């Protein structure tokens, strides 16, 4: 059994008596299986049960972290700098709903963090994605005013983050850290 049709990802192989079988989880929404008999017995084969709907590791982690960030008495005891670093990495690597959820957690961390808890310059890859989306929006006149969920989420994250660094008095350092030298030269030239 595997989560990929070529049986290379999340592969689980079983043979012999039922006692050799173990419960396991597969990520995703599709299960591939292959049954091969060696013709040594006249038994009917194997029976297995597939159960969907369990929360996966990402969803479980998201729900736990979201709840912890919502509890004011818990937040001071969290290693926010480490959680921030990890969550920025998740937001950069994931796609779809998982990326949106990671950005949601980043937004919660920015809103509840104390001064200088998080290295905001780690947002540079997400800033580059956001500015790329902004530039494409300006050039696409066929869809005026329509923002994708990711674009909206990033806009909110950077709006709140900019307000936060303004409160902390470090807006200039933040903006310099997020932008490339080439971008700063173009802005200066304009």
């Amino acid at each position: 059994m595997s989560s990929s049709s070529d049986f290379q990802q999340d592969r689980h192989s079983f043979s012999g008596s039922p006692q050799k079988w173990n419960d396991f989880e597969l990520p995703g929404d599709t299960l591939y299986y292959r049954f091969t008999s060696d013709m040594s017995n006249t038994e009917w084969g194997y029976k297995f049960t597939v159960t969907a709907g369990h929360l996966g590791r990402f969803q479980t982690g998201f729900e736990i972290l979201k709840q912890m960030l919502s509890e004011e008495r818990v937040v001071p005891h969290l290693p926010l700098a480490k959680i921030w670093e990890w969550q920025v990495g998740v937001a950069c690597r994931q796609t779809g709903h998982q990326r949106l959820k990671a950005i949601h957690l980043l937004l919660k961390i920015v809103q509840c963090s104390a001064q200088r808890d998080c290295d905001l310059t780690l947002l540079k890859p997400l800033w580059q994605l956001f500015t790329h989306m902004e530039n494409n929006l300006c050039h696409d006149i066929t869809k005026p005013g329509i923002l994708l969920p990711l674009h909206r989420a990033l806009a909110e994250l950077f709006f709140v983050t900019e307000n936060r660094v303004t409160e902390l008095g470090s807006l200039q350092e933040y903006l310099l850290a997020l932008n490339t030298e080439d971008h700063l030269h173009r802005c200066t030239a304009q």
Side-chain angles (χ1 to χ4, degrees), residues 16 18 21 33 35-49:
W21 286 62
Y33 68 93
F35 175 77
T36 307
S37 173
D38 64 4
M39 309 278 242
S40 63
N41 292 323
T42 57
E43 310 288 334
W44 61 270
Y46 287 101
K47 175 182 175 183
F48 59 91
T49 304

Side-chain angles (χ1 to χ4, degrees), residues 55-70 78 83 86-87 90-91 94 96-109:
L55 292 178
R57 281 177 274 181
F58 182 90
Q59 183 65 25
T60 302
F62 168 77
E63 293 297 336
I64 291 170
L65 194 50
K66 182 176 79 168
Q67 186 62 39
M68 291 174 73
L69 291 169
S70 299
L78 295 174
I83 293 171
W86 175 74
Q87 208 53 43
V90 171
Q94 295 295 339
H97 291 295
Q98 290 183 340
R99 176 179 271 171
L100 290 174
K101 288 178 179 184
I103 292 170
H104 174 78
L105 291 176
L106 289 173
L107 187 57
K108 286 184 88 58
I109 294 169

Side-chain angles (χ1 to χ4, degrees), residues 156-171:
E156 184 177 9
L157 174 65
F158 287 111
F159 177 75
V160 170
T161 304
E162 186 176 320
N163 286 337
R164 186 77 175 122
V165 294
T166 301
E167 290 170 9
L168 297 173
S170 56
L171 180 62

